[in-house]
Amino acid sequence: MTKLCDFRTKKIQDAGATSNAADEQWKGARAARRHIKGLLEQMAPGRIRCMYCLDNQGTDIDHFEPRARTPLRTFSWDNHLLACSHCNSNEKRHLFPCNPETGACLLIDPTVDDPADHLKLLPRTGELKWRTPKGRNSIEVFGLNRDELRKGRADACEMFISGLIRWHDQVQLRKIDAARRTAVRLYRADFPEVLRTLESLAGTPLASVLEDRHFPEALSAWAASPNHLGWVPSMRTGLGAPLPARP
């Protein structure tokens, strides 16, 4: 993949590093696109979810920094994210707000930024609040508080609460295989940022206001369990949670 991308980047450079040259090379690079998308799908959260909204299936390779802005980054690995067609074509499009004085990007880059530094999730309502200008711009550009996402996160909160209580019951009853299967389903579920938010509430008074008296104990047990019975997730999360480093 690296050789294919370097070859295409050289073609763009030789053609004057214009946006037209970048578009032409990207459209013709079927092999490179296939490799890029395959790797991104392996890193996607849940069931190959969009790396922006975490709700829909990731179908498109999005250039985080648009090709028209920096043609020579068209084939840069750290400029590629897996996005659904809605986020890519209806929300983000070619938007890329930057600081007018420094030129620094004012969007959360999920390849290097911890979204939790910029966004706060209210699990019961599913709404995202911004902590920083990057968070505010990301909510607007990616449409992260559109109705279907807020409702989806709120529904996911109920599902994760029930799932964590079920997992804890299975552990207490020594049903280890069943508990492991439950842990896998929880990690593969949509809206993984909701689970990360619930995990951050373990051992705090806020855990007790989310559900009945069984939930705080279940949540604390989950947070204290190393790898949750041996199952280690190998997925890339999206804008609601921190990301592992790219390979």
Side-chain angles (χ1 to χ4, degrees), residues 212-231:
D212 61 28
R213 59 187 177 86
H214 299 291
F215 178 64
E217 182 181 357
L219 181 61
S220 294
W222 172 271
S225 177
N227 297 330
H228 309 116
L229 300 176
W231 189 80

Side-chain angles (χ1 to χ4, degrees), residues 156-187:
C157 179
E158 298 293 335
M159 183 277 295
F160 282 123
I161 288 172
S162 299
L164 289 169
I165 293 174
R166 184 187 314 115
W167 171 85
H168 189 228
D169 289 343
Q170 291 166 340
V171 170
Q172 290 184 311
L173 294 172
R174 301 294 181 182
K175 296 181 178 180
I176 302 304
D177 288 340
R180 184 176 289 111
R181 289 194 297 271
T182 298
V184 170
R185 284 194 293 270
L186 289 171
Y187 268 113

Side-chain angles (χ1 to χ4, degrees), residues 51-52 62-65 78-79 81 92 95-98 104-120 128-142 144 236-243:
M51 291 177 176
Y52 293 130
D62 178 57
H63 291 85
F64 182 72
E65 187 171 4
D78 61 359
N79 196 37
L81 292 170
K92 180 174 180 283
L95 298 176
F96 196 72
C98 295
C105 175
L106 290 177
L107 291 176
I108 299 171
D109 181 351
T111 68
V112 295
D113 294 324
D114 182 346
D117 292 338
H118 305 278
L119 300 170
K120 178 182 179 180
L128 285 171
K129 297 290 188 179
W130 55 272
R131 300 178 186 270
T132 66
K134 271 192 174 186
R136 179 179 58 195
N137 281 287
S138 296
I139 289 173
E140 294 176 356
V141 170
F142 300 119
L144 297 180
R236 162 165 283 221
T237 50
L239 288 185
L243 294 171

Side-chain angles (χ1 to χ4, degrees), residues 42-62:
Q42 293 178 39
M43 303 174 72
R47 296 168 291 120
I48 313 181
R49 300 293 90 181
C50 170
M51 291 177 176
Y52 293 130
C53 71
L54 303 173
D55 185 23
N56 303 317
Q57 182 177 357
T59 56
D60 302 348
I61 301 172
D62 178 57

